[in-house]
Amino acid sequence: MASINRNYLKLQGSYLFSKIGRKIREYEAAHPDKKVIRLGIGDVTQPLVPAVIEALHSAVDEMAHKETFRGYAPDLGYSFLRETIAEKDFKARGCDIDADEIFVSDGAKSDCGNIQEIFGTDNTIAVCDPVYPVYVDSNVMAGRTGEYDPALDCFKNVIYMPCTGENAFTPALPSETPDLIYLCFPNNPTGAVMSRDKLQKWVDYANEHGSVILYDAAYEAFITEEGIPHSIYECEGAKTCAIEFRSFSKTAGFTGLRLGFTVVPADLKVDGVALRDLWARRHGTKFNGAPYIVQRAGEAVYSDEGRKQVKEQIAWYLGNAKIILNGLKTAGIEACGGVNAPYIWLKTPKEMTSWEFFDHLLEHANVAGTPGSGFGPHGEHYFRLTAFGEREATKEAVRRIGLL
Ligand code: PLP
């Protein structure tokens, strides 16, 4: 008789966005004259830039002719894309990463979720708190996290690293040594970044303790300030202790198109085994390659025109972030993020819980965001707004918050 993977029954929290959606629908049904502005969305709203559209059209045309038609893509990615990434994202920044250390995929979510498969089920994991939920959930499914403790809203075998205002939302090195350390900078949900010096300390720690850092740099393109590393490989020694995830989703609006990649350096070994070989095996066994037309679109992001257009789009989103940040500050609400990331993380006023503030904002300003407690216990009393809305709606939301 079949049985199920009972670890799935331990999963928590997937109700967050459905609960938000339900509350907004209920409010709108009860108040048909009111229009709720959604600043909780983590999805882009602007269309693909012209250079990408052009590359898509031309790749589609290639598919229409016998001579240029492509079938299965190479599982690890076309070399035209892997080489472009190695050159423009890494070598141009002084990081010695080669094309054969880059694995193209359908996005960072799959890779962040799947990477744990190449590690032993007895490995301990450390995550920031608050955190992008995929890291914990994928380890729950694999049976690595132990039982859930509802009183603490934590899994017993997970090391949670508090990220609060006191540490500028960047975690301190843990006292108990984890085997796998998930770091995400620029951060979702807090919008915080980690300086190169601080990240170097993590790299040194990982090398010293034999830990592996799983570094999610999905929001790297939003970095505007100097001294903030775009890649963990800007730190000395990172090639022997870190895997990095990248995404075209927020960088170039590919949330619907789907493209990302993971860097597993050749020098990264655990128990004498190269993780690159294990990941190549896993990828080749379970993934049949990102579509040719999408990889051509990804390549176009690195052309001179593509780069310029994508940069402008990101600057436009960051313009929204600035409007939100300034508006909140004027309204006397403590907030951070939004400078090197599309997320603004605010402290709820008057000691309101995250959900109390959600209801307050919905009812009195008709604005929806994301309660910080949905990202982990240390997200309580915080709230996330995003810069992905339309400009006029963003301005209107900020005006309404100012009237509260
Ligand atoms: N990593 C982080 C921190 C994210 O916030 C997201 C998307 O919201 C992803 C990864 C997933 O990116 P992708 O669309 O490439 O799967």
Side-chain angles (χ1 to χ4, degrees):
M1 194 162 108
S3 65
I4 57 159
N5 177 350
R6 299 198 73 78
N7 294 315
Y8 277 63
L9 305 182
K10 298 177 193 163
L11 289 165
Q12 306 291 317
S14 63
Y15 67 90
L16 175 67
F17 288 98
S18 51
K19 185 172 172 185
I20 291 170
R22 179 175 51 75
K23 276 182 172 261
I24 296 173
R25 280 193 304 279
E26 282 172 4
Y27 183 83
E28 285 183 329
H31 305 85
D33 54 321
K34 299 275 170 69
K35 174 99 189 72
V36 174
I37 299 175
R38 290 160 171 79
L39 289 189
I41 44 165
D43 198 356
V44 294
T45 49
Q46 299 305 298
L48 295 164
V49 299
V52 167
I53 293 293
E54 224 170 89
L56 281 170
H57 280 304
S58 118
V60 167
D61 287 343
E62 283 183 65
M63 292 301 230
H65 301 284
K66 197 172 172 44
E67 302 72 37
T68 48
F69 167 79
R70 312 277 181 132
Y72 285 125
D75 331 308
L76 309 183
Y78 280 104
S79 57
F80 65 78
L81 181 59
R82 298 172 85 194
E83 275 160 22
T84 304
I85 291 169
E87 201 53 50
K88 305 252 170 119
D89 271 336
F90 296 100
K91 292 199 195 314
R93 285 196 178 278
C95 307
D96 182 23
I97 295 293
D98 289 325
D100 63 0
E101 296 172 303
I102 288 163
F103 298 84
V104 176
S105 72
D106 65 347
K109 188 178 198 172
S110 320
D111 290 352
C112 291
N114 291 328
I115 196 72
Q116 46 77 29
E117 285 187 25
I118 64 169
F119 296 98
T121 45
D122 56 347
N123 279 205
T124 51
I125 69 160
V127 295
C128 291
D129 171 17
V131 67
Y132 176 58
V134 172
Y135 315 142
V136 174
D137 285 359
S138 54
N139 280 288
V140 171
M141 291 169 178
R144 211 174 268 114
T145 56
E147 293 303 318
Y148 174 71
D149 181 341
L152 298 175
D153 187 18
C154 282
F155 283 93
K156 292 214 165 87
N157 298 348
V158 174
I159 300 168
Y160 292 86
M161 305 182 290
C163 294
T164 61
E166 283 78 59
N167 58 20
F169 303 99
T170 56
L173 295 169
S175 45
E176 193 187 337
T177 305
D179 300 312
L180 307 177
I181 302 165
Y182 288 85
L183 293 178
C184 169
F185 292 100
N187 189 264
N188 177 15
T190 66
V193 284
M194 197 183 264
S195 70
R196 190 174 292 108
D197 290 350
K198 189 151 186 193
L199 188 57
Q200 183 66 56
K201 291 200 170 69
W202 279 92
V203 168
D204 295 344
Y205 173 91
N207 275 324
E208 208 172 292
H209 292 83
S211 310
V212 174
I213 297 177
L214 303 169
Y215 193 71
D216 186 345
Y219 296 97
E220 162 276 329
F222 287 79
I223 295 172
T224 58
E225 290 181 321
E226 292 294 315
I228 309 297
H230 288 246
S231 163
I232 195 164
Y233 305 112
E234 290 178 37
C235 295
E236 210 171 306
K239 284 174 66 179
T240 52
C241 70
I243 290 174
E244 180 166 304
F245 307 99
R246 292 281 189 99
S247 168
F248 285 74
S249 285
K250 312 297 160 69
T251 304
F254 278 43
T255 52
L257 215 48
R258 308 305 306 146
L259 194 66
F261 63 89
T262 288
V263 184
V264 190
D267 294 345
L268 177 50
K269 295 194 173 134
V270 173
D271 289 341
V273 176
L275 294 186
R276 181 177 68 163
D277 297 344
L278 295 191
W279 186 242
R281 184 61 204 254
R282 191 249 161 235
H283 214 53
T285 301
K286 295 195 176 182
F287 185 62
N288 243 345
Y292 172 69
I293 58 172
V294 179
Q295 294 195 50
R296 279 291 182 206
E299 183 191 29
V301 170
Y302 295 91
S303 68
D304 290 348
E305 270 307 290
R307 278 215 140 163
K308 191 166 146 272
Q309 292 163 1
V310 158
K311 236 178 155 178
E312 278 166 14
Q313 193 169 73
I314 289 171
W316 186 87
Y317 285 128
L318 286 173
N320 281 349
K322 196 169 184 181
I323 289 167
I324 298 171
L325 207 52
N326 290 344
L328 291 174
K329 285 190 177 154
T330 308
I333 297 174
E334 209 181 298
C336 57
V339 175
N340 298 295
Y343 299 113
I344 292 100
W345 190 241
L346 66 93
K347 185 111 184 68
T348 57
K350 301 187 186 129
E351 298 286 309
M352 273 186 259
T353 66
S354 300
W355 277 109
E356 281 166 356
F357 186 66
F358 177 91
D359 292 335
H360 181 71
L361 209 57
L362 184 61
E363 266 174 45
H364 301 288
N366 304 147
V367 172
T370 312
S373 56
F375 297 100
H378 281 86
E380 183 57 283
H381 298 293
Y382 285 94
F383 200 77
R384 191 191 76 173
L385 294 176
T386 83
F388 291 121
E390 295 296 342
R391 179 58 53 89
E392 286 314 309
T394 301
K395 281 187 183 163
E396 175 59 13
V398 166
R399 189 189 69 80
R400 291 183 196 170
I401 294 171
L403 297 176
L404 281 176

